[in-house]
Amino acid sequence: MTQTVSPKRPFPFVRLILALLGAVLLAAGATAQEPLETGPDRPKVALVLSGGGALGLSHVGAIQELEAMGIRPDFVVGTSMGAVIGGLYASGLSSAELEETVNGANWSGVFNPSPERDNLTYRQKQQQVDFPGTASLGVSGAGLLLPTGAISDQALMKELRRVTPARMAVKDFDDLTIPFRAVATDIATGEAVVIGSGELPMAMRASMSVPGVFPAFQLDDRLLVDGGLAANIPVSVAREMGADIVIALWTPNELLQQEQIGSVVDVLSQTVSLLILANERASIASLGPNDVLVKMDTGKISPAAFTRSKELIEAGRASIRAQAGRISPVAEGRGPVSYAGLGDAPAPVVSFVRIENTSRLSQSLLEERMSPVLGKPADTTEINEALDRIYALGPFERVDYTMAEQDGLTGLVVRAEDSRRNAGRVRLGMIVENDFNTESDVAVSVDYRSAALDAYGSEIRAIATIGDINEFGLEYFRLLEPAQSWFAAARAEIENRPVNIYTQRGFKTAGYDLTYGLLGIDAGRQFGNIAEIRAGTELGTGRAKLNEGAGPISEVDIHTGRVFVSAGLDMLDNPFFPTTGLTAKARWTQGLEGLGDNADYQTLSVSGLHAYTFGRNTLLTSVSGGLRLSGAPPIDTLYRIGGLFSLSGYRLDELAGENFAAARLIYRRSLMSEDAIFGVPLFVGGSLEAGEVWSSPEDFTFDDLRVGGSVYVGANTALGPVYLAFGRSKGGRQSAYLVIGRSF
């Protein structure tokens, strides 16, 4: 049930008189208050919690201090973050449990809603490696589709459900341990919407739909955004609930000074702050002589500093202690504080799962991912993990659930919402590889993934790179059964790039322009989320033409006709800056003149990387190698090493041969505080490297290994990894590097 209230807006001169009267009464102190009644007829007290982003965490400390004074409110009303803290408190959490909950909340996960990498399929993990850019837009026949919010609310809903006991919808929030109301804003009308029934996490979520950050929240027939736009200190709602005395906790949003307003973002932020301040002033003016307004003194802490909860909680305690003289009369005649609420009842057993699926994916595919929760007591952590497995499939705007009853049994109704069913996704990226010496390659890239083409999640993917290197790839990836294990794929690739030849001392002697096309047909199997085996055939043709310097030949025709078998394992938690896990790959190739190749040959390549982290420090160990098993591989199949982390100091792909071996030890230290949520993760580190190429395996000796190393600064950005580095290798070879995005 929802009801609508509009904040009272007195005429300006009335508001001025009320504001002056309120200021006089506040200054008068506790001696000016009327005597409070005791016993059964004592006045009803409401606790009103304002919004304020992370600053709202100070409400926890305020609640603790109020309880220490003997005050447990009769009603709780909250807006935005105040609705979250107030809702948890009203559900039966003690003040100590409140502190434990907010300190243990995964705030960084809330503002980084990408699916956990463990839940991605092996193919999705490799797509991250191939195209690291994360910023994306929807695309359909109508054109580009802008997102409804900068951040998906999937992770936010997951966290709200995690900290709230798994229970059925509450018919009336008056039935909670403390009667409760959450306040949101109807974005269509600007009216305050008071939420007094339903599911508590949904009420919290609707109240904190910060415009432009999270998508607006659909509740019944209303589209709701943050309640602070209509009633950030919802005193009038507390009055309507029957409150005689209001204790209002206010976390003011400081206005920017004129000299601080220098961008469109600043202007928009200031505009929102002014809107909120206007309704705050009206609410403050409505406070009576026995009411208490506590302005929370949070110092210079930012509204985005969610991980500074301990400091904010202490600030809340101090703010209440500073108003003890005003507040202590409210405690007179009140009984002892008790706790008994939603958290005390045993969790119901999940006897069924019903999925409301608006995507093309099959019901059985989604049901299989929810099956682990069946027959067990409802546990929000396990349920969230199951929802994550569905969300990671890709096409969903949100995957959420409600508790429901059916034939006397309790179960889950899962809503898998794909509001843009026929829309694909487009991602943009940039690639820069510059050694600040002789080589500089720059390109922009575009990645397109279609919406699910069938019930199993098959898709079309296209990727294009335009610049110093030009590439275009198109793939039809067909999943063959609901478990998404067996697959087949058809792909086409066209590439145009420079291929350079260097002397032993690193001087470029010749440059070729390579144009190459390839068709491939593959089939294979994915093993859960970590591995894949694939086999296929590749046919291609191309030509390398001399366009710079003096090469041994002026033109080379390249023909490809080969079969291959490959295997991969990927258990890293991040493809570019991993902290744990390992990855490994192997590929065997047989070139066949009978299929049109230049020669009969066999090659085998393997690679592996392991990540280990202690504190802010990470060590990556990596080994790789390739062998010519037989025949004479053509020029396009030669192994190449050189560039950052691959004999740093050498040019990109400078060394080429039919056989190679390489090893790396990379150290990385995170510069970002563990408390940081926003901002770009920064790292510093260094590497030690060894490697060499040979024309024949028999020529291999450890004495021939070249060694090198690097020092670098790295960042994990929306465009992918960014490195600024300096490398040096054996023989005095050295280079500085700027690398952005995926490597060519």
Side-chain angles (χ1 to χ4, degrees):
M1 176 185 70
T2 62
Q3 56 180 326
T4 303
V5 297
S6 299
K8 298 177 181 179
R9 302 184 180 273
F11 290 107
F13 69 89
V14 176
R15 291 170 56 189
L16 178 61
I17 292 173
L18 290 173
L20 292 172
L21 178 61
V24 171
L25 291 171
L26 285 173
T31 56
Q33 296 186 62
E34 298 176 2
L36 298 177
E37 298 181 19
T38 61
D41 296 326
R42 62 170 174 75
K44 299 293 184 181
V45 175
L47 183 62
V48 174
L49 309 178
S50 75
L55 304 183
L57 299 178
S58 63
H59 296 328
V60 175
I63 290 170
Q64 292 176 335
E65 198 66 25
L66 288 171
E67 288 195 344
M69 299 173 68
I71 298 174
R72 175 85 158 170
D74 301 285
F75 313 106
V76 175
V77 183
T79 292
S80 196
M81 182 55 73
V84 174
I85 302 301
L88 293 174
Y89 186 42
S91 71
L93 292 182
S94 68
S95 58
E97 289 171 329
L98 268 179
E99 180 173 8
E100 181 181 353
T101 297
V102 299
N103 285 337
N106 182 19
W107 299 111
S108 60
V110 166
F111 295 99
N112 182 24
S114 299
E116 293 290 336
R117 200 162 189 263
D118 286 346
N119 292 321
L120 299 178
T121 65
Y122 181 83
R123 170 178 168 79
Q124 289 171 323
K125 291 178 180 180
Q126 299 317 294
Q127 288 176 333
Q128 283 185 336
V129 175
D130 293 341
F131 198 97
T134 57
S136 67
L137 295 172
V139 60
S140 69
L144 292 177
L145 305 173
L146 296 177
T148 55
I151 300 173
S152 165
D153 66 346
Q154 177 69 23
L156 173 60
M157 277 303 308
K158 181 175 73 172
E159 190 65 12
L160 290 176
R161 290 198 180 280
R162 187 188 69 79
V163 299
T164 309
R167 294 291 179 270
M168 304 283 288
V170 181
K171 293 182 179 179
D172 192 330
F173 285 171
D174 286 345
D175 297 331
L176 297 174
T177 303
I178 304 174
F180 171 69
R181 298 293 186 270
V183 179
T185 302
D186 187 327
I187 191 61
T189 65
E191 296 177 317
V193 176
V194 182
I195 306 172
S197 65
E199 289 190 284
L200 196 54
M202 286 190 175
M204 299 174 182
R205 163 66 184 90
S207 183
M208 63 179 302
S209 299
V210 182
V213 178
F214 294 113
F217 192 81
Q218 186 78 41
L219 186 63
D220 299 332
D221 59 345
R222 292 180 179 271
L223 194 61
L224 304 180
V225 296
D226 195 282
L229 297 178
N232 201 44
I233 313 174
V235 173
S236 61
V237 179
R239 299 282 189 222
E240 292 183 1
M241 294 180 73
D244 301 303
I245 298 172
V246 171
I247 301 176
L249 307 184
W250 178 33
T251 55
N253 190 13
E254 300 295 338
L255 294 176
L256 297 174
Q257 300 300 311
Q258 181 173 328
E259 60 273 13
Q260 295 175 299
I261 303 173
S263 70
V264 64
V265 175
D266 296 333
V267 172
L268 291 174
S269 174
Q270 186 82 335
T271 301
V272 172
S273 297
L274 290 170
L275 288 172
I276 294 173
L277 181 60
N279 70 65
E280 287 177 338
R281 287 169 174 165
S283 295
I284 292 171
S286 71
L287 293 171
N290 288 323
D291 299 327
V292 181
L293 174 68
V294 181
K295 183 178 180 180
M296 310 298 278
D297 184 4
T298 55
K300 299 297 184 180
I301 299 178
S302 164
F306 284 91
T307 52
R308 298 180 67 178
S309 57
K310 293 180 181 179
E311 297 171 65
L312 288 166
I313 290 171
E314 180 54 41
R317 296 191 190 106
S319 298
I320 293 297
R321 289 195 293 267
Q323 292 269 20
R326 288 276 303 150
I327 298 172
S328 56
V330 180
E332 297 177 8
R334 304 187 68 81
V337 171
S338 62
Y339 300 96
L342 291 177
D344 298 313
V349 173
V350 179
S351 299
F352 66 89
V353 174
R354 186 170 70 248
I355 299 178
E356 298 175 354
N357 175 22
T358 63
S359 76
R360 288 178 174 169
L361 298 183
S362 71
Q363 289 291 109
S364 59
L365 178 62
L366 275 55
E367 289 167 356
E368 185 273 334
R369 281 159 171 74
M370 292 298 303
S371 60
V373 307
L374 280 171
K376 300 178 182 178
D379 181 275
T380 54
T381 299
E382 289 188 2
I383 294 172
N384 281 337
E385 288 176 354
L387 296 181
D388 278 349
R389 289 192 288 272
I390 293 177
Y391 184 66
L393 292 173
F396 300 106
E397 293 289 316
R398 181 189 297 116
V399 181
D400 197 15
Y401 73 95
T402 59
M403 306 289 290
E405 285 190 352
Q406 179 177 303
D407 301 327
L409 301 175
T410 299
L412 305 178
V413 177
V414 176
R415 297 181 295 270
E417 302 175 16
D418 182 9
S419 61
R420 298 174 173 179
R421 180 169 178 171
N422 297 314
R425 305 295 299 179
V426 168
R427 293 182 296 165
L428 302 177
M430 175 179 290
I431 308 172
V432 175
E433 292 201 12
N434 192 333
D435 65 7
F436 296 103
N437 195 336
T438 60
E439 300 301 324
S440 176
D441 293 316
V442 180
V444 295
S445 55
V446 180
D447 175 85
Y448 167 77
R449 288 177 57 190
S450 72
L453 301 176
D454 54 35
Y456 301 156
S458 303
E459 67 177 14
I460 291 174
R461 185 188 186 203
I463 186 168
T465 300
I466 302 173
D468 294 314
I469 292 178
N470 300 289
E471 301 171 323
F472 177 76
L474 182 65
E475 180 187 36
Y476 171 53
F477 185 80
R478 176 67 183 269
L479 289 156
L480 304 177
E481 35 82 52
Q484 292 192 324
S485 297
W486 293 97
F487 65 85
R491 53 195 169 86
E493 303 169 13
I494 300 174
E495 178 180 346
N496 174 257
R497 68 163 62 213
V499 177
N500 299 317
I501 297 176
Y502 300 89
T503 67
Q504 288 290 325
R505 299 184 62 185
F507 295 108
K508 184 166 69 172
T509 61
Y512 288 84
D513 182 68
L514 172 64
T515 301
Y516 188 74
L518 185 74
L519 298 176
I521 298 177
D522 311 338
R525 188 180 193 277
Q526 296 185 105
F527 296 88
N529 301 85
I530 63 172
E532 174 194 274
I533 290 180
R534 179 187 294 240
T537 301
E538 295 177 336
L539 303 175
T541 186
R543 178 172 295 175
K545 299 178 67 174
L546 182 69
N547 65 358
E548 184 180 3
I553 51 179
S554 61
E555 188 170 295
V556 180
D557 288 326
I558 301 170
H559 301 288
T560 298
R562 60 196 178 207
V563 295
F564 72 90
V565 177
S566 65
L569 174 73
D570 190 340
M571 301 176 67
L572 297 178
D573 62 340
N574 183 289
F576 302 106
F577 296 96
T579 60
T580 185
L582 60 92
T583 182
K585 288 185 177 181
R587 177 180 168 114
W588 170 84
T589 301
Q590 171 71 68
L592 298 168
E593 284 190 271
L595 286 178
D597 209 297
N598 290 78
D600 289 336
Y601 65 91
Q602 285 188 44
T603 61
L604 175 67
S605 62
V606 295
S607 65
L609 180 145
H610 178 264
Y612 171 71
T613 296
F614 49 101
R616 292 192 189 182
N617 309 289
T618 299
L619 280 179
L620 305 178
T621 54
S622 170
V623 294
S624 57
L627 292 174
R628 170 178 59 84
L629 301 178
S630 66
I635 187 173
D636 67 299
T637 64
L638 295 180
Y639 300 113
R640 295 182 176 273
I641 59 176
L644 183 61
F645 303 140
S646 178
L647 289 182
S648 301
Y650 284 85
R651 310 287 183 265
L652 177 67
D653 294 340
E654 178 177 334
L655 305 175
E658 296 176 353
N659 305 272
F660 90 101
R664 298 179 294 176
L665 178 65
I666 301 175
Y667 168 75
R668 183 179 76 240
R669 179 173 176 80
S670 173
L671 296 180
M672 180 167 282
S673 167
E674 295 178 1
D675 292 338
I677 289 179
F678 302 101
V680 176
L682 293 175
F683 309 91
V684 295
S687 67
L688 295 174
E689 307 139 22
E692 183 56 287
V693 296
W694 296 271
S695 60
S696 172
E698 292 78 15
D699 296 334
F700 171 81
T701 66
F702 283 103
D703 293 338
D704 293 334
L705 283 176
R706 306 173 195 240
V707 295
S710 71
V711 291
Y712 68 89
V713 176
N716 196 9
T717 74
L719 295 174
V722 174
Y723 293 100
L724 184 62
F726 174 79
R728 185 178 177 87
S729 290
K730 181 180 178 181
R733 301 293 304 279
Q734 59 188 32
S735 290
Y737 298 94
L738 172 63
V739 178
I740 301 175
R742 69 181 178 93
S743 174
F744 287 109

